[in-house]
Amino acid sequence: MNGIPERARESLGERPVLVAVGHGSRGPQHEQTIGQLIDAVRRARPGLRVETGWLDLVRPPLAQVLAGLDAPAVLVPLLLGGGYHVRVDIPAVLAAAPGVRARVARALGPHPLLAEALGDRLAEAGWTPGGAVVLAAAGSTDPGANADTARMARLLARRLGSPVVPSYLCAGAPTPAEAVAELRRRGHDRVAVARYLMAPGFFGGRAAAAGGCVTSPPLGAHESVTRLVLRRYDDAVRPTVAPAPPTGRSVSR
């Protein structure tokens, strides 16, 4: 099949398009940061067609991107938990796109690769081992998404060897400010806030005001995040292999 053009090979199902699905936020920094991540994904996987669609506030909307596809696709949510957007919003947009052959990958978090990225971002901000950390997530009305944040806090705590408390900037408790204050009441003098966010935006500013000694940058285009986007894509592309039927004679027990 070496003589078949790239687009034709895609349509045959060899290499689905990776459609990165961003949440969207006001302010150019958010879109620019996600754009840097997408550029890193393209550099890491030359020849893979990568598109970006947005759920809110930024163009192009996901529905428009899907309408322009001429090949199968894998939708990779650039979201840190499996909440309402992953369970309901993205599948609803896909269901309303007639003729589009696509599947939705898992959300990025929780995952050890994100713990790597968060640890590096904390170090960049000046955090040193021995201090406590508040993991500041956007938060969700979906209990499953907030539970994902709690699991991510445990992964980060294992990586850092330090206490990590999950917190929620919206629709959850404690807030980052409450978590910082509680850790200080427990005797932790140095408390950092780790922004468990993909890119700058409204929630990032609220995290910075939580009162931590340092506040890390968002995850952005960290190398581990790039690897995770591609891992989620590969996991969705990989065919499910049915278990082989039993062979030989059965043995009674």
Side-chain angles (χ1 to χ4, degrees), residues 30-251:
H30 184 90
E31 185 177 359
Q32 290 168 3
T33 301
I34 295 299
Q36 291 165 1
L37 173 60
I38 299 308
D39 288 344
V41 170
R42 291 190 178 109
R43 288 194 300 270
R45 190 71 61 86
L48 175 64
R49 180 179 167 191
V50 182
E51 305 287 348
T52 307
W54 299 87
L55 293 173
D56 197 14
L57 298 173
V58 182
R59 299 188 63 83
L62 177 58
Q64 179 179 325
V65 173
L66 295 180
L69 291 179
D70 55 1
V74 169
L75 278 57
V76 179
L78 302 183
L79 302 168
L80 298 171
Y84 191 85
H85 290 310
V86 176
R87 292 189 301 101
V88 178
D89 288 342
I90 296 174
V93 175
L94 183 56
V100 175
R101 293 171 292 159
R103 64 185 67 179
V104 182
R106 292 176 57 190
L108 297 183
H111 197 279
L113 284 170
L114 293 178
E116 290 183 16
L118 286 163
D120 286 350
R121 294 300 192 218
L122 282 165
E124 290 172 18
W127 182 86
T128 55
V133 175
V134 169
L135 185 67
S140 173
T141 55
D142 186 320
N146 290 346
D148 283 345
T149 298
R151 285 192 286 272
M152 191 66 240
R154 292 193 290 272
L155 287 172
L156 183 58
R158 285 200 289 270
R159 181 168 185 86
L160 298 178
S162 296
V164 178
V165 175
S167 67
Y168 309 94
L169 291 154
C170 177
T175 67
E178 289 169 344
V180 168
E182 177 60 25
L183 282 168
R184 289 199 169 123
R185 278 194 293 270
R186 295 182 199 171
H188 295 282
D189 294 329
R190 294 187 297 118
V191 181
V193 175
R195 277 190 265 210
Y196 189 40
L197 303 167
M198 289 299 299
F202 173 74
F203 284 138
R206 291 185 60 185
C213 296
V214 297
T215 301
S216 67
L219 291 161
H222 190 281
E223 179 186 1
S224 295
V225 181
T226 301
R227 289 165 55 199
L228 183 54
V229 170
L230 288 167
R231 181 170 297 188
R232 291 302 194 216
Y233 170 84
D234 291 338
D235 287 345
V237 168
R238 190 175 296 117
T240 302
V241 179
T247 58
R249 292 178 297 176
S250 61
V251 178

Side-chain angles (χ1 to χ4, degrees), residues 15 83 112 123:
R15 186 180 294 173

